[in-house]
Amino acid sequence: MRLVLGGSAVLVAALFGCRPTAPPPPPGGFTLLFLDRSPAASLGGLSWAPDPEHGRLLAFDRELRVTRRISNPRLATPIAVTPLGRTELLVTERTGEGVVVDTAGGSGGRVVREWESPDMASLYAAGGGRVVATRSPYYVPQLGAPEPDTAPLVRILDTLGRPTGGLGTIRRPATPLLDYVVNAGAVAVGPDGAVYYAPLVRDEIRKYTPGGQVSWTTKRGLFRNEPDPEFLPAKGAELRLKKALVNVALALGPPPLPPPPGGRVYALGSDDSAATRLRVDVLDAATGAILATRHLGPRETAVAVDASGALAVFDADSLVASAVGSAAATRELFSPAFALPDLAGNTVTLAGFRGKVTLVNFWASWCDPCREEFPHMAELYREFDRKDFEIAGVSDDVDAGKMLAFVLKYRPPFPILVGGGRMKEVYHYRGLPYSVLLDRQGRVIERIFGFGGADEFRKLRQTIANEVRAP
């Protein structure tokens, strides 16, 4: 469903993947660096991190307890965050869009603006008044159109996401179709505007000065020989690539006390070619020297640093689970409330579903995953009593004939409402199908982006059953 790091992006399916919880925090507490292989961001005294499985942002206090959650239809699968100003976060979507969220005020966050990716999929970082983008390591096509030799490695953007310049030039592999694979990488920006870049498939971490010169290049010494990725013989229609996944994410943590000159760069990388055994290297930001290395266990996927600069690792699932306990108390009302015609022309309102757990599903006849999803929804609909559960299937088709042909083919047992092609403009979702599960008071339990197959519906079924039983 949400965590698709492949498709043709199977190359980095290993990039998402947690050991016993660390001891109680020392005085001063922790700052989160990485959560489930995504970089975190420090803003407003909190550590912010993406939770792509639930399409939201989480804020952790110094004891790494979840204190705030931000969800929005425009946050489908956030996979990285970086500070942008005093209260704003720049969020990278898996598919490469940039979303700027204002964290100030209340428990929710306001989406300030969005922009399209300058590459097929981009990863963003900001600092020192500078916004940059690299080719994302979280969504990598096996094949990409060859790029000019002069194409920048790192793009400089303005605060509206428009390219204004670049740093470095791309590395050309022996097979030009692998340009994207070879040049995808992690990125971070220092408070002085210096840019740190680490390619996904190469043992290298590089620092660019604010003026664009290479300040240093560091290698971990993982490979004796480091060839470019290359194609293997295909297995039927399966395209196979020989490569090593090296760098996963970069973060700049707070300087330890007493602060060293230059600061620290934290590199989350791999000890093996498939990124199943992870490591964190601590680099001196001034020289690139590796100061320390921590090899992570199979369940150590949350990495933090304390006030002294010491690393601590956690079970990321346990940290995120702390966001569930008080979720019901902080649920937001689904809005705007709709009043839409059904297929008979009768007006159906959101208020009419109050008192029932309701799945509002947005679909269209041209959406292939919607076709796959409808039989699952029909099965789900028949499993629960109508006094407890409803589904409202909202068509976003412009062509009424195609919508009716779809309905005649799949014959959904639940109500179909006519959105007339206006729903995306109203609800700001990123793509179809898009569903919102509501409690009996019309508040959002969870948002579901895309179609995740039978596994997704098993989880959804259990969530609905729990909600139906809730007092």
Side-chain angles (χ1 to χ4, degrees):
M1 182 174 72
R2 308 165 189 76
L3 251 66
V4 182
L5 299 182
S8 40
V10 290
L11 173 67
V12 286
L15 283 198
F16 269 98
C18 320
R19 210 108 212 163
T21 314
F30 294 110
T31 298
L32 193 64
L33 299 173
F34 305 106
L35 183 74
D36 265 350
R37 310 189 183 197
S38 291
S42 183
L43 184 70
L46 299 172
S47 295
W48 292 87
D51 179 14
E53 177 66 17
H54 299 96
R56 62 186 178 179
L57 307 179
L58 299 176
F60 298 84
D61 64 14
R62 298 286 289 171
E63 295 184 358
L64 297 188
R65 297 173 302 198
V66 176
T67 61
R68 289 188 61 191
R69 309 157 193 79
I70 292 178
S71 63
N72 188 288
R74 301 180 187 185
L75 296 174
T77 313
I79 47 85
V81 293
T82 186
L84 186 68
R86 293 171 55 189
T87 63
E88 293 179 347
L89 289 170
L90 171 55
V91 183
T92 301
E93 279 286 310
R94 178 190 63 84
T95 47
E97 294 91 345
V99 182
V100 179
V101 177
D102 191 345
T103 64
S107 59
R110 180 175 61 91
V111 172
V112 178
R113 57 191 173 278
E114 303 175 71
W115 62 66
E116 295 297 319
S117 173
D119 288 298
M120 183 175 295
S122 294
L123 172 69
Y124 305 100
R130 164 176 278 184
V131 180
V132 304
T134 58
R135 295 155 187 84
S136 174
Y138 295 96
Y139 186 84
V140 183
Q142 294 277 42
L143 296 175
E147 298 187 65
D149 292 341
T150 56
L153 182 66
V154 179
R155 301 187 193 277
I156 309 298
L157 311 177
D158 64 17
T159 54
L160 297 177
R162 299 174 299 200
T164 60
L167 294 176
T169 54
I170 62 169
R171 188 173 188 276
R172 298 308 304 269
T175 304
L177 293 175
L178 299 180
D179 278 356
Y180 196 111
V181 175
V182 168
N183 292 289
V187 67
V189 183
D192 61 349
V195 176
Y196 303 85
Y197 166 79
L200 174 67
V201 296
R202 195 164 187 82
D203 179 13
E204 182 177 289
I205 302 170
R206 194 181 308 163
K207 178 181 179 179
Y208 290 92
T209 67
Q213 294 77 36
V214 176
S215 176
W216 49 255
T217 300
T218 293
K219 295 180 179 290
R220 299 185 182 93
L222 300 178
F223 312 109
R224 179 174 297 177
N225 298 306
E226 192 175 39
D228 281 335
E230 60 185 47
F231 289 109
L232 296 171
K235 284 189 176 180
E238 180 188 359
L239 186 66
R240 299 193 303 153
L241 196 63
K242 180 182 178 182
K243 80 286 177 189
L245 305 181
V246 181
N247 294 299
V248 175
L250 291 176
L252 302 178
L257 299 174
R264 297 287 183 259
V265 180
Y266 299 88
L268 181 64
S270 174
D271 272 333
D272 65 335
S273 62
T276 58
R277 299 196 307 271
L278 296 181
R279 59 188 278 166
V280 176
D281 291 284
V282 184
L283 282 69
D284 185 314
T287 66
I290 296 177
L291 306 176
T293 297
R294 174 75 177 261
H295 300 272
L296 305 183
R299 294 183 60 81
E300 294 174 339
T301 56
V303 181
V305 63
D306 69 16
S308 70
L311 291 175
V313 294
F314 300 83
D315 180 330
D317 290 343
S318 297
L319 294 183
V320 173
S322 69
V324 176
S326 59
T330 59
R331 288 174 181 170
E332 62 194 73
L333 282 173
F334 177 64
S335 65
F338 57 74
L340 297 170
D342 63 14
L343 296 180
N346 301 312
T347 298
V348 177
T349 66
L350 178 64
F353 293 96
R354 282 290 182 97
K356 301 178 182 181
V357 178
T358 303
L359 183 69
V360 181
N361 171 262
F362 297 90
W363 62 276
S365 62
W366 45 260
C367 164
D368 289 337
C370 299
R371 298 189 185 101
E372 298 180 62
E373 188 176 58
F374 256 56
H376 290 275
M377 287 199 298
E379 182 180 346
L380 188 69
Y381 189 72
R382 295 184 181 105
E383 286 187 25
F384 293 93
D385 195 290
R386 292 288 70 78
K387 67 180 176 60
D388 293 318
F389 177 67
E390 266 290 357
I391 293 178
V394 183
S395 165
D396 205 21
D397 279 285
V398 176
D399 189 317
K402 291 181 179 178
M403 175 196 68
L404 291 173
F406 183 99
V407 172
L408 285 173
K409 179 176 181 179
Y410 291 96
R411 298 189 178 277
F414 45 84
I416 295 297
L417 310 183
V418 181
R422 302 180 302 275
M423 295 298 96
K424 185 174 182 179
E425 181 182 347
V426 174
Y427 291 99
H428 305 291
Y429 49 77
R430 202 166 289 288
L432 294 176
Y434 167 58
S435 297
V436 187
L437 183 63
L438 309 179
D439 64 17
R440 294 181 189 269
Q441 287 75 48
R443 301 174 302 180
V444 177
I445 300 170
E446 70 173 304
R447 302 179 190 273
I448 303 168
F449 301 92
F451 170 58
D455 285 345
E456 173 184 279
F457 272 84
R458 275 192 289 270
K459 295 176 184 176
L460 180 58
R461 184 177 291 106
Q462 187 59 55
T463 301
I464 294 169
N466 293 340
E467 198 67 30
V468 164
R469 290 193 297 264

